[in-house]
Amino acid sequence: MGTKDNGVSVFALGGINEIGKNMYAIEYGDDIVIIDCGNKFPDESLLGIDLIIPDISYLIENQNRVRALIITHGHEDHIGGIPFFLKKLNVPVYATRFTLGLIEIKLKEHRILRESELIEINSDSKVEIGEMGISFFKVNHSIPDCLGIVFNTPEGTIVHTGDFKFDLTPANDERPDIHKMAEIGNKGVMLLLSESTNAERSGYTPSEQMVGENLEEIFTKAKRKVFVSTFASNVSRIQQAVHAAQKTRRKLALLGRSMVNVVKVAMERGYLNVPKGMLIDARDINELPPEMVAILCTGSQGETMAALSRLSTGNFRDVDVLPEDTVILAAGPIPGNEKNVTSIVDNLYKLGAHVIYGSGSSSGMHVSGHGYQEDLRLMLTLMKPKYFIPIHGEYRMLHHHRMLAESVGVEEGNTFIIKNGDVVDIENSTARSTRTITSGDTYVDGVDVGDMEFVIRDRKRIAEDGMLMIIIPMNKQEEKVLSEPEFISRGFVDQNFSELRKGMNRITIETINELHEANRYSWNVLKKQIKRSIAKYVKEHTKKEPMIIPILLDI
């Protein structure tokens, strides 16, 4: 474990065998450069956890060598962990103009913006860190200002694509730097790290232009209000919704904090053009005829507290979905979110709305920001890498990407499907993966950040079998129980609790008397023995194992 004296090393602290919390690093000599610092959201098993971010123990151990954090683009799975990272390692952050705007919002919320060093870059920027020369190239994705990164090292060139697709007719007219990619490939690429999200899908990713044409058609046909729910970060799609609203002479309202924040940043920095007078406050929606209103909202992934979820249950203040309103889900559900999205769609139908949902050709309202197989092949063909690491995807996606790489000339055995924490070392033009560093998940729970294993375990136990508190009034000095224990059950049992209480009362008193006779009247010993005895009794009679909390009151 630890550093290597010679050569260049590449390792992942997130984004391998998962989609989320991306973090990669390039290490040469005394310098470590980090690529992206994202978060992912917990599943239902992580009760109460807010976010999951990468474990940066290795970076903290080597903090005197960590020189910079470079961000490929502004999605949460690439920037969501930055505030937590900077609180531990305050290094310069390099990102494009739009991405910096989103990062600044996060740093303000965490009150660390003033002490953070943010450096704006673009596809023409050059950065020198130690013996590494770093340059960039423009890629398409579902958010503005996305970059791939090129590291020129004495051991050869390493390229990180960022998230990408090839869209030759993008809605924002920002085309990918295909010529620059080809030039990089012609000079020679030792190692390519390329995203794998859609490695199982054949063909090319459709152009974002398709969505704009379909949006205009739906807006024209809509009889009443039009709701469009999409990722707040998809500025191109928001711009197309603005164009559709303009063509149908509708005012536009924004619902959801992230939608308001991103639109504000995009307008201030010149990435979104909204005609003067088009935006209205949510409170003014009901003052206009419904056929003159369009609404952009968050919640396309079924998030419980997001705007669309609250609208679908009639719990959004000042705004209602009414019969014959049109609701467009202009985003495909991320794997794992299908159930929540389906529930919202059902609720919207119950309200009488006309609902348009589904991804790709099924609705025409969404295209992916990630390249399909032919996009991935094109990137591989342009870069012509000697070695290849598929990233940003679950194992099957990485496997399919390896097969694509071999189909366009990467030698069998030169692709590394690694795990988070695995290191690929390159020395004398030969790459090997034989060592690991510390990696894993760090949980964010309110203001607490760290290993929450015991907290989560206790929450799961309470969720499954409930909690039982035993309150025992005692005189500590006289070593006496002053009255019968009180038993408080939460999420444990309701039926037959009176019978159970009698038995638990008997067991508690017997335990106290036995310890008293044995002259072991320490309160800590009392608590442990009562907990052990009651747990055994409860399991025998209920087959459950609630969390048991004895409370001794000194009266």
Side-chain angles (χ1 to χ4, degrees):
M1 314 323 90
T3 63
K4 194 171 188 298
D5 294 333
N6 301 310
V8 62
S9 301
V10 178
F11 53 90
L13 293 169
I16 303 289
N17 294 326
E18 63 182 354
I19 299 177
K21 70 177 182 67
N22 291 278
M23 177 180 271
Y24 310 91
I26 309 295
E27 180 177 348
Y28 186 85
D30 290 330
D31 305 303
I32 300 174
V33 178
I34 311 302
I35 305 167
D36 292 336
C37 182
N39 70 264
K40 68 177 180 180
F41 295 101
D43 59 27
E44 295 174 354
S45 68
L46 297 174
L47 302 172
I49 298 300
D50 300 315
L51 297 172
I52 305 171
I53 57 177
D55 180 344
I56 59 170
S57 302
Y58 175 81
L59 300 178
I60 293 172
E61 291 168 8
N62 294 275
Q63 57 187 295
N64 60 318
R65 301 192 300 119
V66 179
R67 308 299 182 203
L69 171 61
I70 302 177
I71 306 300
T72 59
H73 65 282
H75 277 149
E76 283 296 308
D77 58 338
H78 295 259
I79 68 170
I82 291 177
F84 308 98
F85 177 90
L86 293 182
K87 288 175 185 177
K88 300 286 187 180
L89 297 166
N90 192 8
V91 300
V93 179
Y94 293 81
T96 56
R97 179 174 168 79
F98 180 72
T99 305
L100 283 181
L102 300 181
I103 293 171
E104 285 175 10
I105 292 173
K106 292 183 175 298
L107 300 187
K108 281 179 185 175
E109 290 175 352
H110 286 258
R111 300 179 181 177
I112 58 171
L113 178 58
R114 286 187 178 182
E115 56 263 39
S116 301
E117 184 181 358
L118 305 181
I119 301 171
E120 184 178 322
I121 55 174
N122 58 44
S123 59
D124 295 321
S125 298
K126 307 285 185 184
V127 178
E128 296 289 333
I129 296 177
E131 294 187 69
M132 290 186 280
I134 305 170
S135 58
F136 309 92
F137 56 92
K138 195 181 301 181
V139 295
N140 297 120
H141 189 38
S142 53
I143 189 171
D145 257 7
C146 301
L147 296 176
I149 309 174
V150 183
F151 294 85
N152 290 302
T153 79
E155 285 290 342
T157 297
I158 299 170
V159 175
H160 185 294
T161 65
D163 290 359
F164 75 94
K165 66 176 182 179
F166 286 98
D167 189 345
L168 303 183
T169 57
N172 60 5
D173 291 327
E174 291 292 320
R175 291 172 177 79
D177 284 333
I178 294 177
H179 294 294
K180 185 181 282 190
M181 295 179 208
E183 185 180 339
I184 294 164
N186 287 335
K187 289 179 179 178
V189 172
M190 178 63 67
L191 174 67
L192 174 68
L193 293 83
S194 182
E195 74 126 322
S196 311
T197 311
N198 278 335
E200 298 171 282
R201 304 179 71 172
S202 61
Y204 286 98
T205 309
S207 172
E208 183 69 28
Q209 290 279 14
M210 180 189 82
V211 177
E213 295 164 4
N214 292 326
L215 274 174
E216 287 183 19
E217 183 180 351
I218 297 299
F219 270 62
T220 302
K221 292 179 179 178
K223 298 176 181 178
R224 292 176 55 87
K225 298 193 298 291
V226 178
F227 294 81
V228 180
S229 182
T230 190
F231 293 109
S233 59
N234 196 335
V235 174
S236 293
R237 197 155 301 165
I238 292 172
Q239 184 69 72
Q240 293 184 109
V242 168
H243 288 155
Q246 186 178 20
K247 287 194 175 183
T248 54
R249 299 181 180 179
R250 293 175 184 266
K251 298 292 186 180
L252 189 65
L254 307 175
L255 304 183
R257 188 178 70 156
S258 60
M259 183 66 72
V260 172
N261 285 341
V262 172
V263 167
K264 181 181 177 184
V265 169
M267 290 177 66
E268 287 175 349
R269 303 198 173 210
Y271 295 88
L272 180 65
N273 179 28
V274 181
K276 189 175 181 180
M278 174 179 277
L279 287 179
I280 60 171
D281 192 273
R283 290 170 292 187
D284 298 328
I285 289 172
N286 294 326
E287 303 299 319
L288 295 169
E291 66 274 10
M292 289 186 62
V293 176
I295 298 161
L296 274 170
C297 64
T298 56
S300 62
Q301 297 305 305
E303 304 96 318
T304 306
M305 296 306 296
L308 187 63
S309 179
R310 289 155 58 200
L311 286 166
S312 75
T313 55
N315 290 319
F316 201 101
R317 190 176 60 183
D318 300 323
V319 187
D320 293 304
V321 177
L322 299 174
E324 294 193 345
D325 283 346
T326 298
V327 182
I328 302 168
L329 275 71
I334 294 170
N337 293 342
E338 295 91 347
K339 184 178 178 181
N340 290 342
V341 173
T342 300
S343 177
I344 287 175
V345 171
D346 284 345
N347 289 338
L348 291 168
Y349 273 122
K350 290 174 186 176
L351 295 173
H354 176 44
V355 190
I356 300 168
Y357 62 99
S359 60
S361 58
S362 63
S363 70
M365 290 296 115
H366 176 66
V367 296
S368 178
H370 301 274
Y372 289 9
Q373 289 181 352
E374 295 308 316
D375 301 72
L376 302 182
R377 275 198 182 97
L378 178 54
M379 179 64 78
L380 286 157
T381 301
L382 291 169
M383 292 297 172
K384 300 189 284 288
K386 179 177 180 180
Y387 294 103
F388 176 53
I389 302 177
I391 60 172
H392 196 287
E394 295 164 1
Y395 189 87
R396 66 186 185 280
M397 303 168 188
L398 308 181
H399 170 75
H400 281 282
H401 205 172
R402 173 175 61 187
M403 294 170 64
L404 290 174
E406 291 174 0
S407 75
V408 294
V410 175
E411 286 186 21
E412 188 175 344
N414 280 10
T415 296
F416 296 91
I417 297 185
I418 60 175
K419 304 185 298 295
N420 290 332
D422 287 350
V423 182
V424 175
D425 294 310
I426 303 173
E427 189 175 356
N428 298 325
S429 299
T430 301
R432 294 183 179 88
S433 181
T434 58
R435 61 191 183 102
T436 62
I437 60 169
T438 303
S439 68
D441 292 338
T442 298
Y443 299 121
V444 179
D445 181 17
V447 296
D448 294 327
V449 181
D451 183 359
M452 306 283 175
E453 181 182 345
F454 294 109
V455 174
I456 295 168
R457 186 187 65 188
D458 286 347
R459 288 174 182 171
K460 286 180 180 177
R461 188 172 177 185
I462 294 171
E464 290 169 0
D465 286 339
M467 179 174 66
L468 177 65
M469 288 185 286
I470 309 168
I471 302 173
I472 310 168
M474 301 187 70
N475 185 313
K476 188 175 183 180
Q477 200 168 16
E478 297 181 11
E479 301 181 351
K480 279 186 180 180
V481 178
L482 299 180
S483 63
E484 287 191 350
E486 181 181 357
F487 298 89
I488 299 174
S489 166
R490 291 291 181 269
F492 172 38
V493 290
D494 290 326
Q495 295 180 341
N496 302 320
F497 189 60
S498 58
E499 290 297 319
L500 194 64
R501 184 186 283 114
K502 291 177 184 177
M504 292 191 297
N505 183 69
R506 176 177 55 79
I507 294 290
T508 303
I509 298 300
E510 286 177 358
T511 302
I512 293 171
N513 290 337
E514 287 171 4
L515 290 172
H516 184 63
E517 290 172 6
N519 200 24
R520 296 176 61 207
Y521 209 75
S522 154
W523 278 40
N524 282 336
V525 172
L526 265 177
K527 285 182 181 180
K528 288 179 182 177
Q529 193 59 43
I530 290 169
K531 185 175 180 180
R532 189 179 296 121
S533 300
I534 293 296
K536 181 180 178 182
Y537 179 81
V538 165
K539 187 173 183 181
E540 287 174 356
H541 288 77
T542 67
K543 307 302 180 188
K544 293 184 178 181
E545 298 182 65
M547 176 175 284
I548 297 172
I549 306 175
I551 300 172
L552 307 184
L553 294 180
D554 186 13
I555 297 175

